[in-house]
Amino acid sequence: MTLLYIVLATFAGGLLSVLVAASLTVGVLTRLVKSLVSLSAGILLGTSLLNVLPEAFESQTAQPQTLFAVLLAGLLFFWLLEKVELYRHVHHHEGDGHHHHHHFDAEQAGRGGLTVLVGDSIHNFCDGAIIAAAFLADTRLGFATALAIVAHEIPQEVGDYIVLLNAGLSRAKALLFNAISGMASVVGGVLGYFLIGSFEGVLPYLLVLASSSFIYISVADLLPQLQQRLAWRETLAQVAWLAVGLGAAFTVSMMLHGAH
């Protein structure tokens, strides 16, 4: 059953993002992404700090100092990956300075969208492995982690879809690229299940690595986008969506640790 959960959870993010992108216009998508970025930041930060990290530190085999060292190494690792453009986060919306900037998007998409495809595939593969590690640690933690990743995956994939469209690709080809990169998550989840399952002792370290990914995405990518000067109503909307995300993670935390 655990493997089935992993496959379904990893498949859900890619499928939902493609369905959302296919069913809405670019104008609606840009407004949707604007709200989802705030929601994602809350869910990712809350899940990492309230659910995944506590689960890792409850391990009897791993030393706290070692786990903190892994957290630090993970943050630096994901920074380096993004620096070489192999771990990209794209969230286009009105006012971000990039939306409808065709030259920028063409440069980001690379030849035929290859840069987007490779970067997203690596990102999604890592997400799949993270989901597998969480399910192997605790089924409930797996669902919480999958929810956090799906919440981030939808604005991520929609942002990439907008980049590909602005680079001159057709809707069909842009959706195909999104679907292909989304399947990397399933591959990462299945491989993670078989590889991680044989080495239970590494689970706490993998959970900390997952947390470093969530924290890095939130602090380096999502929260800076929310720092723009906006009208008070838009600011309140950002805070509200952020609070909803944190509230969802807190509720899951109560369910997880209340049952222990």
Side-chain angles (χ1 to χ4, degrees):
M1 284 301 292
T2 301
L3 179 59
L4 177 62
Y5 288 150
I6 291 170
V7 171
L8 290 176
T10 52
F11 187 74
L15 178 64
L16 283 174
S17 62
V18 170
L19 289 176
V20 169
S23 59
L24 301 174
T25 65
V26 172
V28 173
L29 288 175
T30 56
R31 292 192 294 273
L32 176 66
V33 170
K34 200 170 185 178
S35 299
L36 286 178
V37 166
S38 302
L39 178 66
S40 296
I43 291 179
L44 287 176
L45 276 178
T47 300
S48 60
L49 297 175
L50 299 176
N51 300 325
V52 183
L53 275 180
E55 184 75 23
F57 276 86
E58 285 173 5
S59 167
Q60 302 298 313
T61 59
Q63 294 297 319
Q65 187 173 5
T66 306
L67 292 177
F68 274 115
V70 172
L71 179 63
L72 174 60
L75 291 171
L76 294 174
F77 173 71
F78 289 114
W79 170 72
L80 285 172
L81 273 186
E82 188 167 41
K83 196 169 183 65
V84 297
E85 296 187 350
L86 289 178
Y87 197 70
R88 306 170 58 257
H89 313 104
V90 179
H91 306 92
H92 277 210
H93 50 75
E94 297 295 345
D96 69 358
H98 298 320
H99 179 60
H100 292 315
H101 188 166
H102 297 273
H103 174 71
F104 173 87
D105 285 342
E107 185 179 309
Q108 288 289 302
R111 292 183 180 178
L114 183 61
T115 304
V116 170
L117 182 60
V118 173
D120 269 2
S121 295
I122 292 173
H123 185 160
N124 292 334
F125 182 88
C126 293
D127 285 346
I130 287 170
I131 289 173
F135 269 109
L136 287 168
D138 186 299
T139 301
R140 294 161 300 178
L141 181 66
F143 282 116
T145 303
L147 172 65
I149 287 177
V150 169
H152 171 62
E153 196 63 26
I154 293 175
Q156 159 73 23
E157 296 296 343
V158 168
D160 285 330
Y161 173 68
I162 295 172
V163 168
L164 293 171
L165 287 182
N166 287 348
L169 273 68
S170 66
R171 285 180 65 97
K173 187 171 286 189
L175 290 171
L176 176 63
F177 278 8
N178 267 8
I180 292 172
S181 69
M183 290 305 98
S185 179
V186 180
V187 175
V190 172
L191 284 179
Y193 172 79
F194 288 107
L195 295 177
I196 298 167
S198 305
F199 305 95
E200 278 194 31
V202 304
L203 267 178
Y205 305 102
L206 291 175
L207 291 177
V208 170
L209 195 61
S211 292
S212 69
S213 169
F214 290 175
I215 294 169
Y216 179 79
I217 291 170
S218 302
V219 174
D221 176 48
L222 301 180
L223 290 180
Q225 292 187 49
L226 306 182
Q227 290 294 88
Q228 300 166 351
R229 292 186 178 276
L230 300 171
W232 67 269
R233 287 185 179 179
E234 291 179 293
T235 300
L236 283 178
Q238 282 185 343
V239 173
W241 281 112
L242 189 69
V244 169
L246 288 171
F250 180 76
T251 301
V252 172
S253 176
M254 293 296 98
M255 293 169 60
L256 271 173
H257 297 92
H260 280 183

